[in-house]
Amino acid sequence: MTLEEMEFELELAGLSREQQVKLLSFVKMNGFDAKTLDKKLQLMGYEAIFSIYDVEDDQK
């Protein structure tokens, strides 16, 4: 997923521009990790949008 695609998804989710910039900066520094980004979104009060993994896989 490109940064532009991530930015678009974050905008659709309703994040402010400031919140988008913070998360995109995190991705630039640490790389893309869907689980980590979704956890950050959930802590901010938003739904998980980047997960493409099965919840069942986490429980194994």
Side-chain angles (χ1 to χ4, degrees):
M1 179 174 266
T2 67
L3 287 176
E4 291 81 18
E5 291 170 328
M6 284 183 251
E7 184 176 1
F8 180 72
E9 291 293 334
L10 294 171
E11 187 175 333
L12 287 178
L15 276 75
S16 70
R17 185 65 188 147
E18 183 180 325
Q19 292 170 317
Q20 292 174 33
V21 169
K22 285 182 182 180
L23 285 178
L24 293 172
S25 293
F26 174 82
V27 170
K28 288 177 187 176
M29 291 175 49
N30 302 294
F32 177 74
D33 178 8
K35 290 180 183 180
T36 301
L37 283 178
D38 281 346
K39 286 178 185 176
K40 287 184 173 293
L41 284 170
Q42 289 172 332
L43 289 173
M44 296 167 72
Y46 294 95
E47 292 292 321
I49 58 175
F50 292 109
S51 297
I52 56 172
Y53 55 88
D54 248 334
V55 174
E56 293 175 14
D57 289 342
D58 289 342
Q59 297 172 355
K60 291 181 181 178

